[in-house]
Amino acid sequence: MINAYLGALIALGIVSVLTALGITITRDNLYAAIYLAITTGLVGAIYGLFGITYGFILIYLVFVGATITITIVLAATYRRVEFRGGAGRSWVLPMILFIIAIIIASIETTYNITPITSQSLMSFVSTPSDLLLIALLSSLLMAIMIGLIMYYLEVSGRWR
Amino acid sequence: MEVNAALIYGFASILLMIGYYSALRANDLIRVLISLELMFNAIFLALIPLFAVNSVVAFGVLIVTILTSSTEFMTLIIAIMALDRVRKSVRVEEVRAGGETYEGARSNA
């Protein structure tokens, strides 16, 4: 008998795999980016299901809210029907073998995951060194953003 | 309330392989970028079992992963826009090392 918790996880996982397949199947970049946003939202929902609230917020705020939104705008700008090329379809076979190998290798373990409480993560945010890590990473992000904007202005000829 | 980690690893590996396949079949740099973001979704999913071992360490790894991946994608987005400015195309075939074709294209312009 599958309990409601396990059923919710399986449902979220199956829908996220289906939307990920939509990225591969659709020929329009805009729809592929929208499918990507749905997939990422569902992965964030799995974080929420396990009680990892900070991970849920980070994925929604930084990844879905910032990065994927810009990707959707970029895909809408360069919207076109894509002609398929690249590697052949025979690459599906080793990929399916890899998935089967991962499942077989991990199913023998008796390693179980239980939902964690947000209180156990509070110690991370309350430590000064960990706060410094977040501040440094955010500063790195902003410094790289400024550098990228300057690079783009240089390439487009507007930076003198 | 317990879930076997094999279920999450299975879903993560399926997402990773779909991302690989989409990147392999892509002709367009935008589609390659979308495939890369899908691969990072699989990485986020594979991080969940680490929270059961040591949640503080897992949270640190998650923060580093999200911020570095966001920076990486912003870099790629700017690179794609700069490539479009220079080569007037975002097709995968336009990406070449050395820039010898770029000089020829600029002299023709």
Side-chain angles (χ1 to χ4, degrees):
Chain A
M1 181 70 183
I2 296 177
N3 60 20
Y5 184 76
L6 186 60
L9 175 66
I10 292 172
L12 284 172
I14 288 174
V15 178
S16 66
V17 167
L18 287 177
T19 49
L21 279 174
I23 296 173
T24 310
I25 290 168
T26 183
R27 298 171 74 89
D28 195 326
N29 282 337
L30 178 63
Y31 291 123
I34 291 170
Y35 276 130
L36 173 73
I38 296 170
T39 310
T40 314
L42 290 169
V43 170
I46 293 176
Y47 268 83
L49 187 71
F50 278 101
I52 312 165
T53 317
Y54 292 107
F56 173 78
I57 291 171
L58 269 175
I59 286 177
Y60 267 80
L61 205 69
V62 179
F63 216 67
V64 181
T67 313
I68 291 182
T69 307
I70 295 176
T71 308
I72 290 174
V73 172
L74 191 75
T77 309
Y78 295 102
R79 187 177 182 179
R80 67 189 66 189
V81 175
E82 188 202 14
F83 296 101
R84 291 301 165 86
R89 290 186 179 167
S90 57
W91 278 94
V92 172
L93 189 65
M95 288 171 177
I96 291 173
L97 287 176
F98 176 81
I99 294 167
I100 292 170
I102 289 290
I103 293 172
I104 289 174
S106 55
I107 207 160
E108 290 300 320
T109 62
T110 53
Y111 183 57
N112 292 320
I113 307 161
T114 51
I116 59 168
T117 56
S118 295
Q119 280 75 24
S120 61
L121 296 176
M122 282 301 287
S123 59
F124 184 90
V125 186
S126 58
T127 313
S129 60
D130 296 330
L131 282 175
L132 182 66
L133 171 72
I134 297 174
L136 284 176
L137 281 171
S138 306
S139 310
L140 176 71
L141 194 71
M142 283 186 272
I144 291 176
M145 296 292 170
I146 293 169
L148 289 174
I149 291 169
M150 288 168 65
Y151 172 70
Y152 180 69
L153 291 176
E154 174 79 31
V155 168
S156 61
R158 293 178 203 164
W159 181 264
R160 292 286 181 265
Chain B
M1 290 288 280
E2 285 189 342
V3 174
N4 197 336
L7 196 61
I8 293 175
Y9 286 139
F11 281 131
S13 60
I14 292 171
L15 284 184
L16 187 68
M17 287 301 116
I18 292 173
Y20 276 168
Y21 183 71
S22 185
L24 278 174
R25 295 280 291 165
N27 259 347
D28 200 339
L29 284 176
I30 311 290
R31 190 60 68 100
V32 174
L33 178 78
I34 290 170
S35 307
L36 281 173
E37 294 190 14
L38 184 62
M39 289 177 208
F40 262 98
N41 275 331
I43 302 301
F44 293 150
L45 206 54
L47 264 178
I48 291 179
L50 189 60
F51 277 87
V53 180
N54 190 337
S55 58
V56 177
V57 171
F59 190 54
V61 172
L62 182 70
I63 286 178
V64 171
T65 310
I66 286 183
L67 287 179
T68 48
S69 63
S70 298
T71 312
E72 178 192 326
F73 290 131
M74 292 297 165
T75 311
L76 283 174
I77 286 169
I78 294 289
I80 290 171
M81 289 168 71
L83 184 85
D84 182 52
R85 274 276 178 185
V86 174
R87 307 297 293 264
K88 309 293 182 201
S89 174
V90 289
R91 291 178 71 83
V92 173
E93 290 83 13
E94 294 294 326
V95 183
R96 294 181 206 280
E100 68 280 2
T101 319
Y102 165 60
E103 288 300 328
R106 202 165 63 170
S107 61
N108 290 335

